[in-house]
């Protein structure tokens, strides 16, 4: 069997994002609605199934895994899962995206289990506004979690901020300043039309990366770099700081041509593209052939021709993909 994943456009898939839960202790306005129905347990992959999926991908040449959700740190025994995956041969980059609230509890266990990098989402430095944007979140707990992660030995921690016009675009510069003070990187994300959120009109809140960049450049010089973390961020450096500033711009700087990623949802659906519905049901394979990694690998290889050339997000606020981000894994 081939040990590489190549799609029909010659792109090699080297990176998989795995969603380990659809649940979350926050309800961010751009990600979830206030009342969410979560999946019954039997529809969610077990820890063993998740571990097998990760192993299958690494045996197929995938070098980077990012765990996401929902909020990965609300999944029971997440530290055990991390330790299992952290021991996979061939895995060169092992990362997690988290809201940070559980890092006080978990940071050192995750580090010991082999997790190498953390992205922590933080959209505001004002506790009240943070609470409004996340509906339930406690800013101080997140900041304490970030510091606990640093103490546990995580290097190059990266903050992620989704910028919404009229909601937090006035905090762009303070977020950069905060990242510089804390010695971490920061990426700004354009809001994506995933799921039908009732909180705001996406057409009104859309804030492009170029607008965010212009706001930052009023205060800091940004020097473009060719650095990459194998993800969709474009990075800039500042002359007087180690912190990097990144932009994730699915609307304004389409990154499909260099896309090396696929996603596995919490239900075991292999998604070939964030912005399309093309998918393959890996859970069905896992449950038809329990513990059989060769069948799983065959299904993953067979899915590659389904990877579309590009997504077609627009900024007019139409919902194009009905999945919420917590289902997809950000
Ligand atoms: N709970 C974790 C967290 O918040 O970091 C991981 C999952 S979350 C879905 C992953 C990332 O997706 C977060 O940085 C979040 O801000 C971002 N996100 C969620 N919904 C989004 C949307 N509609 N557009 C752009 N980014 C979104
Ligand atoms: Fe939870 Fe992350 Fe979605 Fe916020 S963005 S609701 S923290 S999954």
């Amino acid at each position: 069997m081939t040990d590489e994943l190549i799609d029909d456009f010659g792109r090699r898939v080297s990176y998989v994002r795995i969603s380990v839960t659809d649940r979350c202790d926050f309800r961010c306005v751009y990600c979830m609605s206030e009342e969410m129905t979560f999946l019954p347990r039997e529809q969610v992959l077990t820890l063993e199934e998740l571990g097998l999926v990760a192993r299958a991908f690494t045996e197929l040449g995938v070098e980077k895994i990012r765990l996401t959700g929902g909020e990965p740190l609300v999944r029971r025994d997440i530290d055990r899962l991390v330790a299992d995956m952290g021991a996979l041969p061939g895995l060169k980059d092992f990362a997690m995206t988290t809201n940070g609230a559980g890092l006080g509890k978990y940071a050192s266990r995750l580090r010991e289990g082999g997790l190498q990098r953390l992205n922590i989402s933080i959209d505001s430095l004002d506790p009240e506004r943070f609470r409004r944007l996340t509906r339930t979140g406690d800013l101080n707990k997140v900041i304490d979690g970030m510091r606990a992660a640093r103490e546990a030995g995580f290097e190059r921690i990266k903050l992620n901020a989704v910028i919404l016009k009229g909601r937090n675009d006035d905090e762009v510069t303070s977020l950069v300043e905060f990242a510089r003070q804390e010695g971490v990187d920061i990426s700004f994300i354009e809001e994506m039309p995933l799921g039908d959120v009732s909180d705001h009109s996406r057409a009104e809140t859309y804030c492009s990366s170029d607008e965010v960049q212009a706001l930052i450049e009023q205060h800091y010089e940004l020097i473009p770099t060719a650095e990459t973390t194998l993800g969709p961020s474009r990075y800039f450096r500042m002359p007087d700081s180690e912190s990097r500033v990144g932009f994730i711009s699915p609307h304004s700087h389409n990154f499909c041509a260099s896309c090396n990623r696929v996603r596995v949802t919490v239900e075991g659906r292999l998604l070939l593209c964030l912005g399309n519905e093309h998918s393959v049901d890996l859970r069905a394979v896992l449950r038809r052939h329990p513990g059989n990694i060769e069948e799983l690998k065959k299904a993953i290889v067979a899915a590659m021709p389904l990877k579309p050339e590009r997504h077609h997000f627009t900024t007019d606020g139409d919902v194009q993909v009905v999945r919420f981000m917590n289902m997809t894994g950000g």
Side-chain angles (χ1 to χ4, degrees):
M1 174 182 286
T2 156
D3 59 0
E4 284 208 329
L5 295 172
I6 314 261
D7 75 4
D8 282 0
F9 303 94
R11 295 170 299 191
R12 184 167 89 85
V13 171
S14 57
Y15 175 4
V16 59
R17 296 189 178 214
I18 303 179
S19 174
V20 299
T21 179
D22 61 332
R23 287 161 203 257
C24 187
D25 43 351
F26 290 7
R27 294 283 181 281
C28 302
V29 294
Y30 46 75
C31 177
M32 293 196 181
S33 57
E34 204 152 8
E35 298 299 324
M36 293 289 289
T37 315
F38 295 110
L39 293 166
R41 180 171 306 205
E42 61 278 8
Q43 290 185 26
V44 171
L45 296 190
T46 64
L47 292 187
E48 289 65 32
E49 288 170 334
L50 285 165
L52 201 68
V53 166
R55 185 143 69 85
F57 274 104
T58 54
E59 289 186 10
L60 290 165
V62 163
E63 295 160 344
K64 171 168 176 176
I65 292 179
R66 174 176 297 282
L67 300 183
T68 178
E71 172 48 42
L73 298 183
V74 304
R75 175 88 198 228
R76 187 175 306 163
D77 292 331
I78 183 69
D79 45 345
R80 189 153 64 82
L81 183 68
V82 162
D84 283 352
M85 291 188 186
L88 287 171
L91 190 57
K92 294 196 184 134
D93 187 359
F94 187 23
M96 178 186 283
T97 305
T98 170
N99 66 27
L103 284 174
K105 174 176 172 194
Y106 276 121
S108 30
R109 275 184 266 169
L110 299 176
R111 189 72 194 95
E112 283 157 23
L115 193 72
Q116 295 162 323
R117 292 192 306 119
L118 280 170
N119 286 3
I120 302 173
S121 302
I122 190 163
D123 303 326
S124 172
L125 295 168
D126 172 74
E128 262 176 47
R129 186 186 271 182
F130 185 85
R131 166 72 60 139
R132 271 203 302 281
L133 285 168
T134 58
R135 292 199 185 100
T136 62
D138 176 351
L139 175 65
N140 287 325
K141 204 169 165 193
V142 173
I143 293 179
D144 289 348
M146 178 193 74
R147 293 179 179 153
R150 224 173 29 200
E151 262 156 46
F154 282 99
E155 287 170 12
R156 292 237 81 99
I157 293 173
K158 183 168 74 119
L159 307 181
N160 276 342
V162 177
I163 300 300
L164 306 181
K165 203 166 270 179
R167 304 293 285 264
N168 63 347
D169 54 336
D170 57 340
E171 285 197 62
V172 166
T173 317
S174 8
L175 283 162
V176 173
E177 184 52 37
F178 178 70
R180 289 161 56 101
Q181 279 167 8
E182 296 288 332
V184 298
D185 294 339
I186 184 162
S187 275
F188 293 96
I189 308 179
E190 290 177 351
E191 185 183 21
M192 284 176 270
L194 294 172
D196 194 1
V197 292
S198 52
D199 172 81
H200 55 279
S201 150
R202 282 185 163 133
E204 280 164 25
T205 52
Y206 173 67
C207 188
S208 74
S209 291
D210 290 350
E211 290 171 84
V212 174
Q213 185 175 340
L215 288 169
I216 299 172
E217 284 178 326
Q218 288 173 12
H219 301 271
Y220 302 105
E221 186 187 344
L222 292 181
I223 307 160
T225 75
E227 289 167 46
T228 166
T229 50
L230 291 179
S233 275
R234 294 174 293 122
Y235 283 106
F236 293 77
R237 286 208 171 262
M238 291 171 280
D240 56 348
S241 164
E242 281 297 300
S243 296
R244 293 181 299 181
V245 177
F247 297 97
I248 303 178
S249 329
H251 292 288
S252 55
H253 295 259
N254 183 296
F255 43 60
C256 301
S258 60
C259 178
N260 56 352
R261 292 173 290 289
V262 295
R263 292 176 159 75
V264 178
T265 72
V266 65
E267 296 172 280
R269 270 210 297 154
L270 170 58
L271 289 180
L272 284 305
C273 170
L274 182 58
N276 287 276
E277 297 287 357
H278 306 77
S279 72
V280 168
D281 185 359
L282 296 182
R283 187 183 64 197
V285 180
L286 281 160
R287 300 207 173 156
R288 210 176 312 126
H289 309 278
N292 187 330
I293 197 163
E294 292 309 321
E295 288 296 332
L296 191 58
K297 282 161 71 177
K298 240 192 276 173
I300 296 170
V301 170
M304 283 305 114
L306 291 178
K307 191 166 167 59
E309 190 171 11
R310 54 161 301 169
H311 67 66
H312 295 276
F313 290 147
T314 65
T315 54
D316 58 13
D318 283 354
V319 187
Q320 286 117 19
V321 180
V322 287
R323 279 178 270 112
F324 279 99
M325 192 67 157
N326 72 306
M327 296 294 298
T328 306

